[in-house]
Amino acid sequence: MKSLFFKTQTIFIFLFGFMLVFAQNGLKIPQNSVFYMEVNGKQLNQKVNWEKFNPLLKEMGKKDKKASWNDYSKTGIKYDATQYHYATMNDSVKSYNMRFALDNQNKFLEFINSIKKKGQEVTKKNNYSYIDIDNDVFVAWSENRAVLSIINYQKPYKWDDDYAVDSAVAVIDSTAVAIDSAYVEEEKPFDYKEEIQYLKDDIKYLKQSIKDNNAEILKLQKDIKYLEKHHKYPEEKKEPEVAVEDSTYAPKVEILPPPISREDYYEDESHELDSSYQKKMDSLNIEEFKIVKKFAEDSFDQYFNSNKEISVTKDMLSFRDPNSDVFIYADYGKIINDGIYKKMPSNFNFTGILGKLYNSNTSYNLYFDKDKVRLVNNYQHKDSETQKNISDVYKGKKNKKLAALINDKSIGYYVMNVDGSKYFDMMYGMLKNSGDSGYQKEAELVIETMKIVLDEEAIAKIAPGNGIFVLNELKSKNVEYTDYDYDENYNEKEVKKTKDVMVPDFTFAFATENENYWKRVFNVLTSNKAFAKNFSKSGEFYAFKDEKNKNTYVEQLFFTVKDGIVYVTTSKDNINTNNQSEISKQWMKDSSKYPLSGRLNIQKLLGGLDKEFKSKSEKGTLDILRKNAGEVYFKTESKAGSIQTEMNYNIKSNSENSLMYFFDLIEDFYKNSQTDKSSKTL
C-alpha cells in the first residue's frame, strides 16, 4: 500500500497550487460548482523561498523509498501564473479540479513518472495524455497545460428504496455513466480492443492492491500482538519484510492469560475472505473505478477541446480583490441543501431554517503580508430582504463603559455591539418561509402570534445587544482527582491524586436598560431554598460557590449590576477599570467602532498552559509555539451590502514573510518530532 506520507506529499504538490500553480486563458466553471478559487501566482511565487522549501520536503521524504523526487521548484509547473480551482457536487459525483500551466513539459513528465504507480501506463488521446496516480486522482496534460481532478463517486439512492438493489453486484452500463447530467455525452460504438485494455489495466490494479493490503494487514496484526505484550512499539530494524513470524515479535515475557471475551482476541494468522464475497467486492471496485475514470476522461476532453473562455457568474466575483494573494468563493447553500442534507429523509426537513441561513454568497480574500496574515470574509445572503434584516442587527449602539474593561495585560477579549431588537425580525424572516409548503399558512400564523405575544422592546431593554468577554489570565490551581491502579492480577484499585490545572480569570459583562429586572433575578437566587445553598449576597455583590465541587475549574463567581452594566466575574477586582496604555486605548476605540471585534494573544495564552504539557515532546511543541505564536485580531461590520469580517494574525518571528512563517513553523515541528523519536530509540 502506498505510504500515507507519499500519498499526502503527492496531493500536496498539486495542491501547492494553493500558492502557486495554474494559468490558462479561459476556464468554464460548471453550474453545479460549490467552490471556486483563484490564486495570484505572480505575487506568491515571489514570497516563496525555494532554498528553504526544497530541503524541508527532501528531509521529510527520506524514509519513503518511493519518494524519488526532491526538487519541487523544477516540476515543470509554471508557478508565477494565476490559478483557478473549482469543486462540484451532486447526488453521485463530487470532484475537485485544478487547471494549471506548464513551462517545461519534459520536467513535468519526469515528475509524473516519479509519483505514478509502478507499471502504470499513460493513456494517450488526440491532443493530451493522462494517468491515474491514485484510485480517485487523475492528471492530464498537453504541451503547455495540465489538469488534476480528484473524483469521488457514490451510487445514488433514496431512503424509500428499502435497499431493494444490492449495490455490491451492480455493473456498469450506459445509464450508470450518465447519472451526472454534467458529464453526459453521446454513446460511442463498442470497441472491444479498448475494453480489453481496460480489463488488463484492472488486473494490474487489483494485483497490486491485494499485495499491498495483505502486507499492511500482516503488519497491523503483528503490532497488535506486540503492543499487548510489551506496551510499546518495537525498535526499528532494517530487515526485509517477510510473510512469516518475525523474531522481533517473539514473546520476551511471560505469556498473558487468555482474553476474557472473543472481542478482545486477535489472531495471528489472517483469514482469506469468502471467495464469492471477494469477487463481488472486486467487481464493485472495478466498476466504480471505470465510472470515475469515465467522468475524468469526459472532463479532460471537454477542457482540452474547449475555446478556453472563462465563464464565472457575477455572484462568485462580487467581492474579489485583484490585489489579494488568494480569492475563494463558497456556496454554502448548495453544500448544505444539495450536498450534506439532500440524501436525508424529507420528513426531517434539515433544509428549513439552516438551509435558508446558508443560502448565501461567501467570499474570502487572503493576503500574506510581511508581518501578518490577513483574511477578509464577506457574507451576503441571496435573498435581499433577509440580508437587510441581518445587516440591521449589526447597526447597534456603542457602549464605552464596556470598552473600559479592556486592558493590555489581558490575554484576549470579545466585544459585541449589535441591535438586540432586530434579532426578532431576522429570526421571523428565517422562520417565515422555512416550513412545509403544505402548512405555510399555519406557520405564518404561529409566527404572527409570537410577534404579538412577545414584547420586543421590553426584551431588548433587558439586554440591548452590548456585551464583552475579557480573559484576564490563567491561574494555577491544585485539584484532587480519582485515578485507578491495577495489581499483578489486574484487580482495580481506586487512588486519590492531585494535580495542578490552569483555571481562567475572566469577566463577562453586558449592558441593560432594566437594572431592576436583573436585581430581582439575583435576589431570587439568594432567597430560594434550592439555590440559596450556593448563592449568597455580600454588599452589592452576589456570589456563587459550590462547596461540594471544589475541584472544578471555576468554583466561585460574582454577580452585580452597576451603572447599567451586569457583571459576571471570577474576581471582584476585575470590574475596577485601571488606566489603560496607549495600545489598549486604541483597542477601546476599535471595540466601540465595530459591531463585533476581538483580540487574542496566543503567546500569553500558551504561557498559562505550561503545566498542561508533560512529556518532552509536548514541552518541545510548547516551546516552538511560544517562540512563534502571534496575536489574532478581528473586526466585523455591515459593509457593501454584506457582513464583512477582517481577521489579522500578526506574526512574531524572523521569517521573511507571513507565508514562509508557516513553512518555518512546520520545519520546527518536524525537527522536534525527529528529536523525540531519537530520544525514545536511545
Side-chain angles (χ1 to χ4, degrees):
M1 181 181 290
K2 186 181 293 183
S3 70
L4 178 61
F5 171 80
F6 181 65
K7 182 175 180 179
T8 304
Q9 176 177 283
T10 301
I11 303 301
F12 172 76
I13 293 306
F14 286 102
L15 286 177
F16 193 51
F18 164 70
M19 303 181 305
L20 302 169
V21 201
F22 188 64
Q24 180 61 29
N25 294 330
L27 171 68
K28 290 185 177 180
I29 305 299
Q31 293 182 351
N32 61 339
S33 296
V34 297
F35 171 88
Y36 172 73
M37 179 170 69
E38 292 183 10
V39 177
N40 193 332
K42 184 177 181 180
Q43 290 183 179
L44 286 174
N45 191 47
Q46 296 174 357
K47 298 178 181 181
V48 176
N49 186 337
W50 288 102
E51 293 182 359
K52 285 186 177 180
F53 182 71
N54 263 329
L56 174 60
L57 288 184
K58 183 177 181 180
E59 176 66 25
M60 293 174 68
K62 272 184 177 179
K63 293 185 178 181
D64 197 328
K65 297 179 180 178
K66 296 181 180 180
S68 60
W69 192 269
N70 55 36
D71 190 354
Y72 296 98
S73 63
K74 297 179 181 179
T75 59
I77 298 172
K78 187 175 177 60
Y79 290 140
D80 58 350
T82 305
Q83 71 167 306
Y84 304 87
H85 296 188
Y86 66 91
T88 62
M89 176 186 295
N90 57 36
D91 285 345
S92 56
V93 180
K94 299 178 180 64
S95 68
Y96 188 92
N97 307 276
M98 290 166 264
R99 289 159 164 75
F100 49 95
L102 302 178
D103 57 11
N104 189 322
Q105 186 185 25
N106 292 331
K107 279 291 182 183
F108 184 73
L109 293 180
E110 289 179 17
F111 176 57
I112 291 296
N113 288 328
S114 72
I115 63 176
K116 72 180 182 67
K117 299 175 184 177
K118 186 177 181 180
Q120 182 68 38
E121 298 296 331
V122 174
T123 301
K124 294 185 178 181
K125 306 287 283 187
N126 292 334
N127 53 354
Y128 71 92
S129 302
Y130 78 93
I131 192 172
D132 55 301
I133 61 174
D134 212 323
N135 297 342
D136 53 0
V137 182
F138 300 83
V139 183
W141 62 91
S142 62
E143 184 178 353
N144 57 5
R145 292 181 290 168
V147 180
L148 182 141
S149 293
I150 304 172
I151 302 175
N152 175 265
Y153 169 78
Q154 287 184 333
K155 183 178 177 64
Y157 65 92
K158 295 182 179 179
W159 283 80
D160 298 332
D161 286 347
D162 293 329
Y163 302 97
V165 180
D166 185 359
S167 61
V169 296
V171 294
I172 187 169
D173 55 22
S174 59
T175 57
V177 175
I179 289 173
D180 185 358
S181 60
Y183 294 90
V184 173
E185 66 172 18
E186 293 184 4
E187 185 176 356
K188 299 178 181 179
F190 179 76
D191 186 344
Y192 77 93
K193 292 182 179 180
E194 184 179 24
E195 186 67 17
I196 291 174
Q197 185 59 46
Y198 281 150
L199 295 176
K200 288 182 178 180
D201 291 342
D202 292 337
I203 291 174
K204 291 180 182 179
Y205 166 76
L206 288 173
K207 285 182 177 180
Q208 184 61 39
S209 178
I210 292 171
K211 180 181 178 181
D212 291 341
N213 286 333
N214 285 338
E216 184 68 15
I217 290 171
L218 180 61
K219 177 182 179 300
L220 294 177
Q221 288 175 334
K222 288 181 177 181
D223 286 345
I224 290 171
K225 294 300 296 180
Y226 195 89
L227 285 170
E228 285 180 336
K229 296 177 181 179
H230 303 286
H231 304 165
K232 65 177 182 179
Y233 282 103
E235 295 182 2
E236 295 184 4
K237 292 185 177 181
K238 296 182 178 179
E239 297 179 357
E241 293 184 3
V242 291
V244 295
E245 185 71 14
D246 193 328
S247 60
T248 305
Y249 291 85
K252 299 178 181 180
V253 295
E254 183 179 351
I255 298 177
L256 297 176
I260 298 174
S261 67
R262 189 175 181 84
E263 294 179 356
D264 297 327
Y265 184 72
Y266 301 96
E267 297 185 357
D268 287 326
E269 298 181 0
S270 59
H271 292 275
E272 291 186 4
L273 294 174
D274 179 76
S275 58
S276 60
Y277 174 77
Q278 184 65 57
K279 289 180 180 178
K280 286 183 179 181
M281 294 304 298
D282 291 345
S283 175
L284 178 62
N285 291 334
I286 292 172
E287 302 310 331
E288 285 187 353
F289 178 75
K290 285 183 179 180
I291 294 174
V292 170
K293 185 177 181 180
K294 180 65 174 175
F295 288 155
E297 188 172 305
D298 289 348
S299 177
F300 295 154
D301 286 342
Q302 184 181 13
Y303 176 70
F304 287 102
N305 294 324
S306 69
N307 57 9
K308 299 179 291 185
E309 292 181 358
I310 190 167
S311 177
V312 183
T313 63
K314 292 182 179 180
D315 289 344
M316 289 185 176
L317 304 179
S318 297
F319 300 101
R320 179 185 59 174
D321 180 3
N323 295 318
S324 65
D325 292 325
V326 180
F327 169 75
I328 298 173
Y329 167 86
D331 190 333
Y332 291 116
K334 287 183 180 178
I335 294 174
I336 296 294
N337 298 329
D338 299 337
I340 299 175
Y341 291 139
K342 189 170 184 178
K343 294 182 180 180
M344 292 293 183
S346 58
N347 57 309
F348 285 138
N349 193 27
F350 281 106
T351 58
I353 299 176
L354 187 62
K356 190 169 184 179
L357 177 64
Y358 280 106
N359 186 28
S360 62
N361 297 315
T362 305
S363 301
Y364 305 86
N365 284 285
L366 181 63
Y367 309 80
F368 290 101
D369 297 333
K370 171 92 176 153
D371 57 347
K372 63 183 175 182
V373 181
R374 285 190 297 138
L375 179 66
V376 179
N377 164 235
N378 288 86
Y379 168 94
Q380 185 180 60
H381 202 279
K382 293 183 179 180
D383 179 66
S384 57
E385 182 180 352
T386 302
Q387 178 58 43
K388 181 181 179 301
N389 291 335
I390 295 174
S391 297
D392 288 343
V393 173
Y394 286 81
K395 296 177 181 178
K397 298 178 181 179
K398 316 307 177 188
N399 191 303
K400 294 184 178 180
K401 293 180 181 178
L402 293 173
L405 293 171
I406 298 174
N407 62 83
D408 56 320
K409 294 182 179 180
S410 63
I411 294 174
Y413 65 85
Y414 177 84
V415 182
M416 179 172 64
N417 292 301
V418 297
D419 189 341
S421 65
K422 297 299 181 180
Y423 269 114
F424 293 94
D425 293 334
M426 182 182 72
M427 293 307 300
Y428 293 146
M430 293 291 181
L431 291 167
K432 188 175 181 180
N433 298 314
S434 61
D436 191 320
S437 59
Y439 298 94
Q440 187 61 45
K441 293 182 178 179
E442 291 81 354
E444 290 182 1
L445 179 60
V446 171
I447 293 170
E448 291 298 325
T449 304
M450 291 171 60
K451 294 184 70 173
I452 295 172
V453 173
L454 296 175
D455 188 341
E456 300 175 18
E457 292 185 2
I459 294 176
K461 287 182 178 180
I462 294 174
N466 304 92
I468 186 172
F469 175 84
V470 181
L471 179 60
N472 296 297
E473 62 177 322
L474 296 176
K475 297 181 178 180
S476 178
K477 176 183 177 181
N478 189 266
V479 298
E480 186 180 80
Y481 69 100
T482 302
D483 198 1
Y484 298 91
D485 286 342
Y486 300 86
D487 59 24
E488 57 184 8
N489 295 320
Y490 296 97
N491 295 316
E492 185 180 86
K493 181 180 180 182
E494 187 176 293
V495 180
K496 295 292 184 180
K497 297 182 179 180
T498 62
K499 63 178 180 179
D500 289 330
V501 297
M502 305 309 297
V503 298
D505 175 32
F506 66 87
T507 301
F508 171 65
F510 59 92
T512 182
E513 296 178 16
N514 191 340
E515 290 188 18
N516 290 329
Y517 170 82
W518 292 105
K519 289 179 180 179
R520 289 198 298 271
V521 170
F522 296 148
N523 284 328
V524 168
L525 293 176
T526 56
S527 59
N528 182 277
K529 291 183 179 180
F531 296 116
K533 296 178 181 179
N534 296 325
F535 285 90
S536 61
K537 183 179 180 182
S538 177
E540 60 181 4
F541 282 93
Y542 300 83
F544 166 82
K545 189 172 185 179
D546 190 356
E547 294 288 350
K548 294 182 179 180
N549 296 304
K550 293 183 178 181
N551 293 316
T552 56
Y553 282 88
V554 179
E555 63 174 288
Q556 183 167 301
L557 290 173
F558 298 95
F559 307 80
T560 191
V561 184
K562 184 178 180 181
D563 298 330
I565 305 295
V566 179
Y567 297 91
V568 180
T569 180
T570 53
S571 174
K572 296 179 182 180
D573 295 334
N574 289 340
I575 69 171
N576 298 321
T577 58
N578 301 316
N579 295 327
Q580 278 88 1
S581 63
E582 289 300 320
I583 188 170
S584 59
K585 288 180 180 179
Q586 182 60 48
W587 297 344
M588 290 173 58
K589 291 180 180 179
D590 289 345
S591 68
S592 299
K593 180 180 179 181
Y594 299 103
L596 299 176
S597 63
R599 184 175 295 273
L600 176 65
N601 189 317
I602 301 178
Q603 281 194 340
K604 286 186 177 181
L605 178 65
L606 293 172
L609 294 175
D610 55 342
K611 294 185 178 180
E612 302 295 330
F613 293 79
K614 306 296 183 182
S615 69
K616 183 177 181 181
S617 176
E618 290 176 344
K619 290 183 181 296
T621 300
L622 179 61
D623 290 339
I624 293 172
L625 291 174
R626 279 176 170 172
K627 175 184 176 183
N628 296 283
E631 188 175 57
V632 177
Y633 169 73
F634 82 94
K635 56 185 179 182
T636 300
E637 61 183 324
S638 177
K639 187 176 181 180
S642 70
I643 305 302
Q644 184 180 97
T645 300
E646 179 179 337
M647 181 174 293
N648 294 288
Y649 176 67
N650 300 311
I651 65 174
K652 294 183 178 179
S653 74
N654 297 322
S655 300
E656 300 160 56
N657 53 61
S658 58
L659 179 60
M660 290 307 299
Y661 161 82
F662 289 105
F663 285 125
D664 293 340
L665 195 59
I666 292 172
E667 183 176 17
D668 287 342
F669 280 129
Y670 176 74
K671 290 179 179 178
N672 179 63
S673 66
Q674 297 305 303
T675 301
D676 186 54
K677 287 181 181 179
S678 299
S679 62
K680 286 182 179 180
T681 303
L682 294 174

